[in-house]
Amino acid sequence: MDSHPTGIGLGLRSAIIAEIDAGEADGALAFVEVSPENYLWRGGLALDQLARIRERFPLLGHGLTMNLGGLGPFDDRFFAELKDFLDRHPTPWYSDHLCLCNNGAEFHDLLPVPFTRSTAKRIAARIREASDRLERPMLVENVSYYLALGEVEMDEPEFIAEILEQADCGLLLDVNNAFVNAQNHGFDPYAWLERIPLERVRQLHVAGHESWDEQTLIDTHGADVRDEVYAMMAWVIERTGPLPVLLERDNHIPPLAELLGEVRKLDEVYQQALGRWRRGTGAVPLEVLHG
Amino acid sequence: MDDPRELHASEGDAKDILIINAFTSAIRERGIDKTLETDLAGFYRAHGVVGETLEQMLERGPRRLRMYRQMVQGRLRRVLRELLPRTVARLGKKRFLADFADFFDDAGSHTVILRQVAGEFTRFCERRWAEAEAVPDFLSDLAKHELLSLEVRNSVGGREPATGLPLALDRPLRFDGTTRLRRYGYAVHSLPLDVDDRSEPEATPSALLAYRDREKYTVRFIALTPRATEVIERLLSGSTVVAALQQGAAAAGETLDDELLAGMTHLFADLSERGVLLGALPDALSDAPPEA
Ligand SMILES: [Fe+2]
């Protein structure tokens, strides 16, 4: 994991891929995050655009369907295709979610898993297997969950920490998911963050969320990032130092120029947090920051 | 005797499996939305969830369980509406909901690629649509036509180089890798693209050659005559030109005369100009036929 981008990046989505391909985000993004599932077993325009974009931006690979929380064996055909894609589009690591995607059929969604020791053990073994199959380090991402499943043997931070430890892998920390969960399940997001092993964090996600009903926030990636989520991102960066931070936007995607405005806003908060990290750790800035 | 920790772990696994199966059934099972609301305990018990796990799940209530059900199903229905807009619109809301509920419960999706759910849904529905009085006979063809666009637009391959060899009777031909041929019982390709349109296609057997434009990436269709269909179909599966012409003409009930040859020469020239036909192959085995 030695060479990787840091700073703010965007996820490659069909709504903005043409503009990014046309150079409209050049110089404005530290990296582009790609979900291989959008490109596997596929040819045509999107693949040609991706081939050009990867020449101009570092890529980070982020999966949606690995089913790390699942009960059945991995799909060999999928893994072969994914490995081939990652070989052709190298990324320093590959990430997917601490969730269930398939149980006899594909749900095309990120479903919760029971926070139990047996689940943690099973997931950790599957992360190791995935990492071996893909021949690269894996990161796992904490998800938004709207319903706890089964008897809760441990809370989420303990569950995550146990998996990271057993799988010896990194964490893709989604601070919006932590915020949404804190609201929906009534806990303090900073108390939650305090118990996350920050030394394992390799990447962050920030996003906006919406309301499902008056009692439930839902992680739609369909709105601007809230101030509280900015503050959580800064809290983490202040403690970890430079990391790649992805602005996720999957729904109600505004024009690229507007998204890049949000990227700049995020970068300001990120740079301030980095400044505090440098003062805190005594690290010397390698370059004088403009502005 | 087994290590007690191992025993504990397998008990844990069994409990995990029960609750995961109950949870995913709550998302998938047809028509149980009401049961979740009125008899949550009965639902969980029927899935083997008992004891402390049951107590805790009952405390959490049905609301978020139903939310997952609506979220997952709603998202897949949205995807189908996006990928098969005219088919879904013509099914009507009620019929589509029922077809989707059966598809999701009885078959479910078995691909991780979201766009492929459209093909899974269509294959599941084909026979029931054919049997249903209320569903027009041409609907399967319309769905196939919408799928054809999707398939060609996203097809692997395309833009293969020309072979540099002129067409020769004793050789097979190379086609652009995105080329597909489809036959319909109805002229669904002539229907307007407007999702609100309800006009009916003519019940005329039709065949379309579809390919992805090399420069613009758009999907283009060419309506083929019956004899051209027979010939092109054979060429696409790797026949030599002479075999395709002879067998194709016979299958179309026509004689292989000068008029037919002139027509085919004209078609080959047009396809070459469009970058669909890429010349003769050096030998019969050097290109696999494109996947259907
Ligand atoms: Fe995320």
Side-chain angles (χ1 to χ4, degrees):
Chain A
M1 295 195 199
D2 31 17
S3 152
H4 62 80
T6 62
I8 316 297
L10 269 183
L12 203 55
R13 298 288 175 269
S14 58
I16 52 174
I17 191 170
E19 291 162 284
I20 294 181
D21 181 31
E24 290 174 33
D26 284 8
L29 298 175
F31 66 94
V32 163
E33 193 189 74
V34 175
S35 291
E37 289 90 341
N38 294 330
Y39 303 93
L40 299 185
W41 291 292
R42 188 178 184 190
L45 179 59
L47 264 291
D48 291 351
Q49 288 170 324
L50 177 61
R52 291 186 291 265
I53 288 169
R54 63 163 286 220
E55 298 295 321
R56 305 213 304 275
F57 297 95
L59 295 187
L60 291 181
H62 179 57
L64 307 163
T65 63
M66 191 177 272
N67 194 31
L68 288 171
L71 303 169
F74 285 137
D75 178 346
D76 293 336
R77 220 177 128 247
F78 169 69
F79 265 86
E81 189 74 11
L82 177 59
K83 167 135 193 334
D84 182 57
F85 177 88
L86 294 174
D87 288 346
R88 283 182 287 116
H89 303 85
T91 69
W93 55 66
Y94 187 65
S95 62
D96 207 307
H97 302 82
L98 290 176
C99 74
L100 179 84
C101 312
N102 178 311
N103 188 34
E106 293 292 339
F107 288 86
H108 299 278
D109 218 318
L110 311 175
L111 304 179
V113 289
F115 294 154
T116 58
R117 288 185 206 291
S118 39
T119 299
K121 189 176 162 190
R122 191 181 69 248
I123 291 182
R126 288 166 77 87
I127 295 167
R128 283 180 180 272
E129 185 187 341
S131 182
D132 285 350
R133 285 186 183 229
L134 298 177
E135 293 174 25
R136 70 200 68 226
M138 284 287 300
L139 306 188
V140 288
E141 178 181 353
N142 58 301
V143 297
S144 291
Y145 64 96
Y146 309 106
L147 178 69
L149 285 194
E151 271 173 79
V152 178
E153 287 179 9
M154 55 219 295
D155 62 9
E156 196 194 15
E158 196 185 346
F159 180 71
I160 291 172
E162 176 139 345
I163 290 171
L164 299 179
E165 186 68 34
Q166 282 188 34
D168 190 22
C169 70
L171 178 65
L172 194 175
L173 176 58
D174 188 317
V175 288
N176 180 57
N177 288 342
F179 178 81
V180 164
N181 290 338
Q183 297 298 306
N184 287 338
H185 302 289
F187 59 78
D188 172 5
Y190 288 95
W192 186 94
L193 281 176
E194 293 271 9
R195 296 179 51 223
I196 291 296
L198 293 182
E199 70 282 2
R200 292 227 180 236
V201 177
R202 296 285 176 278
Q203 188 186 342
L204 295 186
H205 273 182
V206 297
H209 50 261
E210 293 163 276
S211 291
W212 177 268
D213 56 30
E214 61 289 348
Q215 297 163 67
T216 312
L217 293 183
I218 176 167
D219 171 46
T220 54
H221 307 161
D224 288 353
V225 180
R226 291 243 302 245
D227 289 347
E228 294 95 318
V229 176
Y230 273 85
M232 286 171 71
M233 181 273 285
W235 187 97
V236 176
I237 293 298
E238 229 174 284
R239 285 159 178 79
T240 59
L243 285 176
V245 177
L246 176 83
L247 171 64
E248 290 190 288
R249 191 71 184 241
D250 296 328
N251 285 298
H252 315 301
I253 301 183
L256 181 67
E258 213 173 291
L259 270 182
L260 293 179
E262 201 171 3
V263 167
R264 277 194 299 278
K265 210 176 133 196
L266 209 51
D267 190 50
E268 270 174 39
V269 178
Y270 173 85
Q271 297 298 346
Q272 287 163 8
L274 267 192
R276 291 194 293 276
W277 171 76
R278 287 197 186 93
R279 287 194 293 279
T281 59
V284 182
L286 293 176
E287 54 186 316
V288 179
L289 298 168
H290 34 245
Chain B
M1 185 60 204
D2 293 330
D3 180 340
R5 278 169 308 173
E6 284 300 310
L7 195 66
H8 177 77
S10 65
E11 261 173 39
D13 284 335
K15 275 189 188 173
D16 289 342
I17 292 169
L18 284 178
I19 190 64
I20 284 174
N21 286 342
F23 174 64
T24 52
S25 295
I27 295 175
R28 247 181 106 178
E29 259 177 50
R30 173 185 25 226
I32 56 151
D33 206 46
K34 237 199 169 119
T35 311
L36 296 178
E37 193 65 54
T38 56
D39 185 18
L40 190 60
F43 169 79
Y44 278 128
R45 272 197 209 100
H47 286 85
V49 177
V50 291
E52 182 57 27
T53 314
L54 176 64
E55 292 307 311
Q56 291 196 14
M57 290 316 293
L58 291 180
E59 239 167 70
R60 291 171 205 144
R63 199 168 49 89
R64 296 261 173 90
L65 198 57
R66 295 175 62 217
M67 172 181 162
Y68 269 111
R69 181 180 167 83
Q70 288 161 25
M71 216 168 70
V72 171
Q73 295 202 11
R75 174 176 151 83
L76 286 178
R77 281 196 300 263
R78 250 189 334 271
V79 166
L80 289 173
R81 236 178 259 123
E82 232 167 75
L83 298 178
L84 304 168
R86 291 183 290 156
T87 305
V88 171
R90 282 175 185 262
L91 275 175
K93 198 173 170 188
K94 212 174 139 201
R95 173 86 210 186
F96 175 56
L97 277 175
D99 281 343
F100 176 81
D102 287 346
F103 160 71
F104 197 51
D105 192 351
D106 295 341
S109 170
H110 297 275
T111 169
V112 297
I113 307 299
L114 204 47
R115 68 172 185 280
Q116 292 178 350
V117 180
E120 293 183 318
F121 176 70
T122 304
R123 279 190 296 280
F124 176 83
C125 290
E126 222 173 326
R127 195 176 330 132
R128 55 198 276 142
W129 287 344
E131 285 163 3
E133 283 283 306
V135 177
D137 287 343
F138 63 83
L139 202 81
S140 279
D141 278 351
L142 180 58
K144 271 186 226 158
H145 187 55
E146 289 195 299
L147 284 176
L148 177 62
S149 277
L150 196 65
E151 181 184 333
V152 172
R153 189 162 55 245
N154 294 302
S155 159
V156 173
R159 293 190 172 180
E160 289 80 3
T163 64
L165 300 173
L167 307 196
L169 281 173
D170 60 344
R171 297 254 166 100
L173 305 180
R174 173 179 290 172
F175 286 84
D176 180 89
T178 65
T179 312
R180 302 287 187 277
L181 192 151
R182 287 285 184 282
R183 293 167 183 260
Y184 306 131
Y186 291 82
V188 287
H189 56 286
S190 313
L191 286 173
L193 294 175
D194 179 5
V195 290
D196 296 322
D197 179 79
R198 292 294 177 272
S199 59
E200 306 227 333
E202 276 177 50
T204 318
S206 311
L208 284 194
L209 193 70
Y211 67 97
R212 188 166 67 217
D213 186 283
R214 298 190 147 223
E215 265 73 52
K216 299 191 181 100
Y217 296 95
T218 47
V219 180
R220 307 196 56 180
F221 301 101
I222 305 168
L224 297 178
T225 60
R227 67 188 191 189
T229 306
E230 299 294 345
V231 171
I232 297 290
E233 197 164 61
R234 284 165 176 79
L235 288 171
L236 279 170
S237 46
S239 294
T240 61
V241 175
V242 69
L245 287 170
Q246 285 167 344
Q247 293 162 14
E254 297 197 22
T255 36
L256 185 52
D257 55 12
D258 285 352
E259 191 267 333
L260 192 148
L261 276 178
M264 289 304 123
T265 308
H266 183 76
L267 174 64
F268 292 162
D270 178 44
L271 293 178
S272 300
E273 203 166 303
R274 291 165 180 264
V276 176
L277 245 188
L278 301 169
L281 285 173
D283 64 67
L285 298 172
S286 59
D287 262 15
E291 272 178 46

